[in-house]
Amino acid sequence: MSRMSVSAAPRKTTHGTITPAANFDKEEDAKRLKKAMQGFGCDEKTVISIAAHRTNYQRQEIRKTFKTMYGKDLMQELRSELSGHLKDAILSAMMSTYEYDADQLYHAMKVRCVHTHGHTLTDTHGHGHRHTYTHTHTPGHTYGHTDTDTHTHTHT
């Protein structure tokens, strides 16, 4: 069998598309977000404007400042005010890079199927239900096992 040779193309260096906001004022942004979430409903345009036009570093500074100024967690406030895909996008944008990576890994791994012998695997499957699977090896059977599916309502 012949071997194919693959030549490495030169790598192009890329940078993020969000540049630091000019005249960034973390206190003013925290105030604007607080005001956007006051009363009935949420001023989504203000939330989007801030989240989409600040670097990750600036968004983390806003989170810390919001906590200091109002004694509340900005992520919890956003979680309660927003919904649907916008909620997912804004919360993802407001996460630190480490939080985002961990969140993505968690969601990527939580639906994986694992076969174990004599062990219990617990998984939430993203539906707010906790499923417990108990597999026991039966001597003399290659894949002998029993499955129990226990539903416990757990809010994640």
Side-chain angles (χ1 to χ4, degrees), residues 116-155:
T116 61
H117 292 287
H119 298 288
T120 300
L121 170 68
T122 302
D123 194 357
T124 61
H125 294 286
H127 301 294
H129 303 289
R130 185 169 300 280
H131 301 275
T132 303
Y133 302 96
T134 305
H135 301 277
T136 55
H137 179 69
T138 305
H141 297 281
T142 308
Y143 292 104
H145 65 273
T146 59
D147 292 331
T148 58
D149 191 0
T150 306
H151 294 279
T152 306
H153 295 283
T154 306
H155 300 286

mmCIF file of all heavy atoms in Angstrom, residues 116-155:
data_model
loop_
_atom_site.group_PDB
_atom_site.id
_atom_site.type_symbol
_atom_site.label_atom_id
_atom_site.label_comp_id
_atom_site.label_asym_id
_atom_site.label_seq_id
_atom_site.Cartn_x
_atom_site.Cartn_y
_atom_site.Cartn_z
ATOM 1 N N THR A 116 -20.212 -0.955 32.725
ATOM 2 C CA THR A 116 -19.409 -1.297 33.891
ATOM 3 C C THR A 116 -19.911 -2.601 34.478
ATOM 4 O O THR A 116 -21.060 -2.976 34.290
ATOM 5 C CB THR A 116 -19.489 -0.198 34.973
ATOM 6 O OG1 THR A 116 -20.855 -0.085 35.389
ATOM 7 C CG2 THR A 116 -18.985 1.132 34.470
ATOM 8 N N HIS A 117 -19.069 -3.271 35.200
ATOM 9 C CA HIS A 117 -19.443 -4.505 35.880
ATOM 10 C C HIS A 117 -19.416 -4.230 37.376
ATOM 11 O O HIS A 117 -18.377 -3.933 37.941
ATOM 12 C CB HIS A 117 -18.463 -5.636 35.549
ATOM 13 C CG HIS A 117 -18.538 -6.065 34.127
ATOM 14 N ND1 HIS A 117 -19.579 -6.800 33.635
ATOM 15 C CD2 HIS A 117 -17.719 -5.820 33.072
ATOM 16 C CE1 HIS A 117 -19.392 -7.010 32.348
ATOM 17 N NE2 HIS A 117 -18.270 -6.426 31.982
ATOM 18 N N GLY A 118 -20.585 -4.324 38.002
ATOM 19 C CA GLY A 118 -20.661 -4.141 39.443
ATOM 20 C C GLY A 118 -20.500 -2.700 39.893
ATOM 21 O O GLY A 118 -20.215 -2.436 41.041
ATOM 22 N N HIS A 119 -20.677 -1.760 38.981
ATOM 23 C CA HIS A 119 -20.566 -0.345 39.334
ATOM 24 C C HIS A 119 -21.869 0.360 39.005
ATOM 25 O O HIS A 119 -22.637 -0.089 38.180
ATOM 26 C CB HIS A 119 -19.427 0.334 38.570
ATOM 27 C CG HIS A 119 -18.086 -0.252 38.877
ATOM 28 N ND1 HIS A 119 -17.449 -0.051 40.075
ATOM 29 C CD2 HIS A 119 -17.276 -1.045 38.149
ATOM 30 C CE1 HIS A 119 -16.299 -0.692 40.066
ATOM 31 N NE2 HIS A 119 -16.169 -1.313 38.913
ATOM 32 N N THR A 120 -22.084 1.481 39.626
ATOM 33 C CA THR A 120 -23.269 2.278 39.353
ATOM 34 C C THR A 120 -22.849 3.544 38.624
ATOM 35 O O THR A 120 -21.907 4.215 39.013
ATOM 36 C CB THR A 120 -23.984 2.653 40.673
ATOM 37 O OG1 THR A 120 -24.368 1.455 41.329
ATOM 38 C CG2 THR A 120 -25.214 3.502 40.405
ATOM 39 N N LEU A 121 -23.557 3.861 37.567
ATOM 40 C CA LEU A 121 -23.313 5.063 36.787
ATOM 41 C C LEU A 121 -24.528 5.962 36.955
ATOM 42 O O LEU A 121 -25.652 5.539 36.725
ATOM 43 C CB LEU A 121 -23.135 4.699 35.311
ATOM 44 C CG LEU A 121 -23.110 5.842 34.308
ATOM 45 C CD1 LEU A 121 -21.843 6.669 34.516
ATOM 46 C CD2 LEU A 121 -23.157 5.309 32.901
ATOM 47 N N THR A 122 -24.300 7.193 37.349
ATOM 48 C CA THR A 122 -25.391 8.143 37.514
ATOM 49 C C THR A 122 -25.203 9.270 36.516
ATOM 50 O O THR A 122 -24.121 9.799 36.368
ATOM 51 C CB THR A 122 -25.412 8.712 38.945
ATOM 52 O OG1 THR A 122 -25.532 7.631 39.852
ATOM 53 C CG2 THR A 122 -26.573 9.653 39.140
ATOM 54 N N ASP A 123 -26.280 9.609 35.827
ATOM 55 C CA ASP A 123 -26.204 10.624 34.789
ATOM 56 C C ASP A 123 -27.516 11.395 34.744
ATOM 57 O O ASP A 123 -28.573 10.834 34.971
ATOM 58 C CB ASP A 123 -25.952 9.928 33.450
ATOM 59 C CG ASP A 123 -25.525 10.904 32.374
ATOM 60 O OD1 ASP A 123 -25.476 12.113 32.629
ATOM 61 O OD2 ASP A 123 -25.249 10.431 31.265
ATOM 62 N N THR A 124 -27.456 12.685 34.426
ATOM 63 C CA THR A 124 -28.677 13.488 34.390
ATOM 64 C C THR A 124 -29.311 13.568 33.019
ATOM 65 O O THR A 124 -30.457 13.958 32.903
ATOM 66 C CB THR A 124 -28.400 14.928 34.870
ATOM 67 O OG1 THR A 124 -27.451 15.511 34.003
ATOM 68 C CG2 THR A 124 -27.951 14.949 36.307
ATOM 69 N N HIS A 125 -28.620 13.277 31.967
ATOM 70 C CA HIS A 125 -29.129 13.315 30.595
ATOM 71 C C HIS A 125 -29.718 14.661 30.209
ATOM 72 O O HIS A 125 -30.463 14.760 29.256
ATOM 73 C CB HIS A 125 -30.201 12.239 30.356
ATOM 74 C CG HIS A 125 -29.660 10.857 30.434
ATOM 75 N ND1 HIS A 125 -28.886 10.315 29.439
ATOM 76 C CD2 HIS A 125 -29.758 9.914 31.389
ATOM 77 C CE1 HIS A 125 -28.559 9.071 29.781
ATOM 78 N NE2 HIS A 125 -29.063 8.828 30.959
ATOM 79 N N GLY A 126 -29.453 15.698 30.965
ATOM 80 C CA GLY A 126 -29.893 17.030 30.601
ATOM 81 C C GLY A 126 -31.376 17.279 30.716
ATOM 82 O O GLY A 126 -31.881 18.275 30.243
ATOM 83 N N HIS A 127 -32.129 16.370 31.353
ATOM 84 C CA HIS A 127 -33.570 16.545 31.448
ATOM 85 C C HIS A 127 -34.028 16.849 32.872
ATOM 86 O O HIS A 127 -35.217 16.873 33.136
ATOM 87 C CB HIS A 127 -34.307 15.286 30.973
ATOM 88 C CG HIS A 127 -33.995 14.930 29.567
ATOM 89 N ND1 HIS A 127 -34.365 15.721 28.499
ATOM 90 C CD2 HIS A 127 -33.306 13.900 29.044
ATOM 91 C CE1 HIS A 127 -33.949 15.164 27.374
ATOM 92 N NE2 HIS A 127 -33.296 14.064 27.676
ATOM 93 N N GLY A 128 -33.102 17.082 33.778
ATOM 94 C CA GLY A 128 -33.497 17.341 35.145
ATOM 95 C C GLY A 128 -33.872 16.074 35.893
ATOM 96 O O GLY A 128 -34.345 16.118 37.009
ATOM 97 N N HIS A 129 -33.726 14.901 35.276
ATOM 98 C CA HIS A 129 -34.000 13.624 35.939
ATOM 99 C C HIS A 129 -32.666 12.928 36.162
ATOM 100 O O HIS A 129 -31.794 12.971 35.318
ATOM 101 C CB HIS A 129 -34.872 12.711 35.066
ATOM 102 C CG HIS A 129 -36.169 13.309 34.678
ATOM 103 N ND1 HIS A 129 -37.187 13.505 35.578
ATOM 104 C CD2 HIS A 129 -36.606 13.786 33.502
ATOM 105 C CE1 HIS A 129 -38.206 14.050 34.950
ATOM 106 N NE2 HIS A 129 -37.881 14.237 33.691
ATOM 107 N N ARG A 130 -32.534 12.304 37.296
ATOM 108 C CA ARG A 130 -31.306 11.572 37.552
ATOM 109 C C ARG A 130 -31.589 10.096 37.262
ATOM 110 O O ARG A 130 -32.517 9.516 37.786
ATOM 111 C CB ARG A 130 -30.868 11.753 39.004
ATOM 112 C CG ARG A 130 -29.525 11.117 39.280
ATOM 113 C CD ARG A 130 -28.977 11.521 40.615
ATOM 114 N NE ARG A 130 -28.774 12.943 40.727
ATOM 115 C CZ ARG A 130 -27.749 13.622 40.240
ATOM 116 N NH1 ARG A 130 -26.817 12.992 39.567
ATOM 117 N NH2 ARG A 130 -27.635 14.911 40.401
ATOM 118 N N HIS A 131 -30.805 9.516 36.354
ATOM 119 C CA HIS A 131 -30.947 8.111 35.993
ATOM 120 C C HIS A 131 -29.802 7.338 36.619
ATOM 121 O O HIS A 131 -28.653 7.710 36.470
ATOM 122 C CB HIS A 131 -30.889 7.928 34.473
ATOM 123 C CG HIS A 131 -31.939 8.683 33.746
ATOM 124 N ND1 HIS A 131 -33.197 8.183 33.557
ATOM 125 C CD2 HIS A 131 -31.928 9.920 33.192
ATOM 126 C CE1 HIS A 131 -33.915 9.068 32.887
ATOM 127 N NE2 HIS A 131 -33.166 10.129 32.662
ATOM 128 N N THR A 132 -30.124 6.257 37.301
ATOM 129 C CA THR A 132 -29.090 5.420 37.881
ATOM 130 C C THR A 132 -29.154 4.058 37.211
ATOM 131 O O THR A 132 -30.204 3.433 37.160
ATOM 132 C CB THR A 132 -29.289 5.265 39.403
ATOM 133 O OG1 THR A 132 -29.314 6.555 39.987
ATOM 134 C CG2 THR A 132 -28.175 4.441 40.014
ATOM 135 N N TYR A 133 -28.034 3.632 36.666
ATOM 136 C CA TYR A 133 -27.943 2.351 36.000
ATOM 137 C C TYR A 133 -27.006 1.460 36.799
ATOM 138 O O TYR A 133 -25.869 1.825 37.036
ATOM 139 C CB TYR A 133 -27.389 2.504 34.583
ATOM 140 C CG TYR A 133 -28.204 3.429 33.733
ATOM 141 C CD1 TYR A 133 -27.850 4.758 33.594
ATOM 142 C CD2 TYR A 133 -29.350 2.958 33.099
ATOM 143 C CE1 TYR A 133 -28.613 5.622 32.822
ATOM 144 C CE2 TYR A 133 -30.116 3.807 32.324
ATOM 145 C CZ TYR A 133 -29.747 5.133 32.188
ATOM 146 O OH TYR A 133 -30.498 5.976 31.422
ATOM 147 N N THR A 134 -27.497 0.299 37.195
ATOM 148 C CA THR A 134 -26.657 -0.636 37.921
ATOM 149 C C THR A 134 -26.447 -1.859 37.042
ATOM 150 O O THR A 134 -27.412 -2.505 36.628
ATOM 151 C CB THR A 134 -27.317 -1.051 39.253
ATOM 152 O OG1 THR A 134 -27.605 0.123 39.991
ATOM 153 C CG2 THR A 134 -26.394 -1.951 40.052
ATOM 154 N N HIS A 135 -25.227 -2.138 36.725
ATOM 155 C CA HIS A 135 -24.885 -3.285 35.896
ATOM 156 C C HIS A 135 -24.167 -4.308 36.771
ATOM 157 O O HIS A 135 -23.220 -3.978 37.452
ATOM 158 C CB HIS A 135 -23.944 -2.875 34.749
ATOM 159 C CG HIS A 135 -24.520 -1.848 33.857
ATOM 160 N ND1 HIS A 135 -25.376 -2.158 32.830
ATOM 161 C CD2 HIS A 135 -24.377 -0.499 33.838
ATOM 162 C CE1 HIS A 135 -25.727 -1.055 32.204
ATOM 163 N NE2 HIS A 135 -25.130 -0.024 32.796
ATOM 164 N N THR A 136 -24.646 -5.536 36.750
ATOM 165 C CA THR A 136 -23.962 -6.583 37.499
ATOM 166 C C THR A 136 -23.581 -7.704 36.535
ATOM 167 O O THR A 136 -24.350 -8.069 35.655
ATOM 168 C CB THR A 136 -24.858 -7.153 38.614
ATOM 169 O OG1 THR A 136 -26.083 -7.599 38.039
ATOM 170 C CG2 THR A 136 -25.142 -6.104 39.678
ATOM 171 N N HIS A 137 -22.397 -8.188 36.702
ATOM 172 C CA HIS A 137 -21.897 -9.268 35.853
ATOM 173 C C HIS A 137 -22.409 -10.598 36.388
ATOM 174 O O HIS A 137 -22.279 -10.900 37.563
ATOM 175 C CB HIS A 137 -20.370 -9.261 35.831
ATOM 176 C CG HIS A 137 -19.805 -10.350 34.995
ATOM 177 N ND1 HIS A 137 -19.923 -10.359 33.620
ATOM 178 C CD2 HIS A 137 -19.135 -11.466 35.338
ATOM 179 C CE1 HIS A 137 -19.344 -11.447 33.154
ATOM 180 N NE2 HIS A 137 -18.856 -12.126 34.168
ATOM 181 N N THR A 138 -23.020 -11.377 35.497
ATOM 182 C CA THR A 138 -23.506 -12.699 35.858
ATOM 183 C C THR A 138 -22.462 -13.718 35.423
ATOM 184 O O THR A 138 -22.129 -13.792 34.239
ATOM 185 C CB THR A 138 -24.851 -13.014 35.156
ATOM 186 O OG1 THR A 138 -25.772 -11.973 35.463
ATOM 187 C CG2 THR A 138 -25.402 -14.352 35.586
ATOM 188 N N PRO A 139 -21.907 -14.503 36.364
ATOM 189 C CA PRO A 139 -20.890 -15.493 36.000
ATOM 190 C C PRO A 139 -21.411 -16.425 34.901
ATOM 191 O O PRO A 139 -22.555 -16.853 34.932
ATOM 192 C CB PRO A 139 -20.649 -16.252 37.303
ATOM 193 C CG PRO A 139 -21.074 -15.304 38.377
ATOM 194 C CD PRO A 139 -22.203 -14.506 37.785
ATOM 195 N N GLY A 140 -20.554 -16.693 33.929
ATOM 196 C CA GLY A 140 -20.930 -17.592 32.843
ATOM 197 C C GLY A 140 -21.552 -16.883 31.658
ATOM 198 O O GLY A 140 -21.774 -17.492 30.630
ATOM 199 N N HIS A 141 -21.881 -15.628 31.799
ATOM 200 C CA HIS A 141 -22.457 -14.855 30.699
ATOM 201 C C HIS A 141 -21.508 -13.721 30.355
ATOM 202 O O HIS A 141 -21.069 -12.970 31.216
ATOM 203 C CB HIS A 141 -23.821 -14.275 31.072
ATOM 204 C CG HIS A 141 -24.836 -15.326 31.362
ATOM 205 N ND1 HIS A 141 -25.487 -16.016 30.368
ATOM 206 C CD2 HIS A 141 -25.299 -15.809 32.536
ATOM 207 C CE1 HIS A 141 -26.320 -16.871 30.920
ATOM 208 N NE2 HIS A 141 -26.216 -16.772 32.235
ATOM 209 N N THR A 142 -21.212 -13.616 29.079
ATOM 210 C CA THR A 142 -20.267 -12.587 28.652
ATOM 211 C C THR A 142 -20.785 -11.188 28.930
ATOM 212 O O THR A 142 -20.082 -10.342 29.441
ATOM 213 C CB THR A 142 -19.981 -12.732 27.137
ATOM 214 O OG1 THR A 142 -19.606 -14.078 26.881
ATOM 215 C CG2 THR A 142 -18.880 -11.789 26.708
ATOM 216 N N TYR A 143 -22.031 -10.918 28.587
ATOM 217 C CA TYR A 143 -22.583 -9.581 28.791
ATOM 218 C C TYR A 143 -23.822 -9.618 29.674
ATOM 219 O O TYR A 143 -24.725 -8.818 29.531
ATOM 220 C CB TYR A 143 -22.917 -8.916 27.451
ATOM 221 C CG TYR A 143 -21.683 -8.599 26.660
ATOM 222 C CD1 TYR A 143 -21.330 -9.386 25.576
ATOM 223 C CD2 TYR A 143 -20.863 -7.549 27.027
ATOM 224 C CE1 TYR A 143 -20.178 -9.119 24.854
ATOM 225 C CE2 TYR A 143 -19.719 -7.270 26.304
ATOM 226 C CZ TYR A 143 -19.381 -8.056 25.221
ATOM 227 O OH TYR A 143 -18.251 -7.793 24.510
ATOM 228 N N GLY A 144 -23.870 -10.559 30.608
ATOM 229 C CA GLY A 144 -25.021 -10.633 31.497
ATOM 230 C C GLY A 144 -25.073 -9.413 32.395
ATOM 231 O O GLY A 144 -24.103 -9.075 33.046
ATOM 232 N N HIS A 145 -26.207 -8.733 32.414
ATOM 233 C CA HIS A 145 -26.355 -7.586 33.304
ATOM 234 C C HIS A 145 -27.825 -7.293 33.530
ATOM 235 O O HIS A 145 -28.683 -7.743 32.790
ATOM 236 C CB HIS A 145 -25.648 -6.343 32.748
ATOM 237 C CG HIS A 145 -26.251 -5.824 31.472
ATOM 238 N ND1 HIS A 145 -25.867 -6.299 30.244
ATOM 239 C CD2 HIS A 145 -27.187 -4.884 31.256
ATOM 240 C CE1 HIS A 145 -26.561 -5.665 29.305
ATOM 241 N NE2 HIS A 145 -27.359 -4.808 29.895
ATOM 242 N N THR A 146 -28.083 -6.591 34.576
ATOM 243 C CA THR A 146 -29.433 -6.114 34.827
ATOM 244 C C THR A 146 -29.365 -4.600 34.885
ATOM 245 O O THR A 146 -28.406 -4.021 35.380
ATOM 246 C CB THR A 146 -29.995 -6.657 36.160
ATOM 247 O OG1 THR A 146 -29.133 -6.228 37.202
ATOM 248 C CG2 THR A 146 -30.106 -8.158 36.148
ATOM 249 N N ASP A 147 -30.373 -3.972 34.345
ATOM 250 C CA ASP A 147 -30.432 -2.514 34.355
ATOM 251 C C ASP A 147 -31.588 -2.076 35.242
ATOM 252 O O ASP A 147 -32.678 -2.625 35.171
ATOM 253 C CB ASP A 147 -30.688 -1.948 32.960
ATOM 254 C CG ASP A 147 -29.506 -2.167 32.042
ATOM 255 O OD1 ASP A 147 -28.371 -2.227 32.521
ATOM 256 O OD2 ASP A 147 -29.760 -2.266 30.832
ATOM 257 N N THR A 148 -31.333 -1.108 36.077
ATOM 258 C CA THR A 148 -32.425 -0.480 36.808
ATOM 259 C C THR A 148 -32.385 0.989 36.463
ATOM 260 O O THR A 148 -31.328 1.605 36.424
ATOM 261 C CB THR A 148 -32.280 -0.660 38.336
ATOM 262 O OG1 THR A 148 -31.041 -0.099 38.750
ATOM 263 C CG2 THR A 148 -32.367 -2.114 38.729
ATOM 264 N N ASP A 149 -33.529 1.527 36.157
ATOM 265 C CA ASP A 149 -33.620 2.926 35.780
ATOM 266 C C ASP A 149 -34.432 3.630 36.863
ATOM 267 O O ASP A 149 -35.632 3.457 36.944
ATOM 268 C CB ASP A 149 -34.295 3.049 34.424
ATOM 269 C CG ASP A 149 -34.175 4.450 33.855
ATOM 270 O OD1 ASP A 149 -33.579 5.317 34.500
ATOM 271 O OD2 ASP A 149 -34.707 4.652 32.758
ATOM 272 N N THR A 150 -33.767 4.386 37.699
ATOM 273 C CA THR A 150 -34.422 5.061 38.788
ATOM 274 C C THR A 150 -34.512 6.541 38.462
ATOM 275 O O THR A 150 -33.499 7.183 38.216
ATOM 276 C CB THR A 150 -33.612 4.882 40.100
ATOM 277 O OG1 THR A 150 -33.403 3.497 40.294
ATOM 278 C CG2 THR A 150 -34.356 5.486 41.273
ATOM 279 N N HIS A 151 -35.713 7.076 38.467
ATOM 280 C CA HIS A 151 -35.907 8.493 38.177
ATOM 281 C C HIS A 151 -36.036 9.257 39.493
ATOM 282 O O HIS A 151 -36.896 8.970 40.307
ATOM 283 C CB HIS A 151 -37.163 8.729 37.354
ATOM 284 C CG HIS A 151 -37.080 8.152 35.991
ATOM 285 N ND1 HIS A 151 -36.444 8.780 34.951
ATOM 286 C CD2 HIS A 151 -37.520 6.978 35.498
ATOM 287 C CE1 HIS A 151 -36.529 8.041 33.870
ATOM 288 N NE2 HIS A 151 -37.156 6.936 34.183
ATOM 289 N N THR A 152 -35.184 10.220 39.674
ATOM 290 C CA THR A 152 -35.285 11.126 40.804
ATOM 291 C C THR A 152 -35.292 12.514 40.210
ATOM 292 O O THR A 152 -34.389 12.876 39.463
ATOM 293 C CB THR A 152 -34.072 10.984 41.758
ATOM 294 O OG1 THR A 152 -33.955 9.618 42.116
ATOM 295 C CG2 THR A 152 -34.234 11.853 42.972
ATOM 296 N N HIS A 153 -36.291 13.300 40.515
ATOM 297 C CA HIS A 153 -36.346 14.645 39.965
ATOM 298 C C HIS A 153 -35.299 15.504 40.642
ATOM 299 O O HIS A 153 -35.367 15.786 41.819
ATOM 300 C CB HIS A 153 -37.738 15.253 40.149
ATOM 301 C CG HIS A 153 -38.771 14.519 39.361
ATOM 302 N ND1 HIS A 153 -38.898 14.696 38.001
ATOM 303 C CD2 HIS A 153 -39.669 13.582 39.700
ATOM 304 C CE1 HIS A 153 -39.860 13.908 37.558
ATOM 305 N NE2 HIS A 153 -40.343 13.235 38.572
ATOM 306 N N THR A 154 -34.304 15.877 39.855
ATOM 307 C CA THR A 154 -33.210 16.687 40.343
ATOM 308 C C THR A 154 -33.067 17.878 39.424
ATOM 309 O O THR A 154 -32.986 17.729 38.222
ATOM 310 C CB THR A 154 -31.889 15.882 40.327
ATOM 311 O OG1 THR A 154 -32.098 14.671 41.041
ATOM 312 C CG2 THR A 154 -30.767 16.684 40.965
ATOM 313 N N HIS A 155 -33.068 19.048 39.975
ATOM 314 C CA HIS A 155 -32.901 20.251 39.162
ATOM 315 C C HIS A 155 -31.434 20.605 39.129
ATOM 316 O O HIS A 155 -30.800 20.776 40.146
ATOM 317 C CB HIS A 155 -33.723 21.409 39.729
ATOM 318 C CG HIS A 155 -35.178 21.096 39.758
ATOM 319 N ND1 HIS A 155 -35.934 21.085 38.617
ATOM 320 C CD2 HIS A 155 -35.987 20.733 40.771
ATOM 321 C CE1 HIS A 155 -37.168 20.748 38.926
ATOM 322 N NE2 HIS A 155 -37.226 20.540 40.230
#
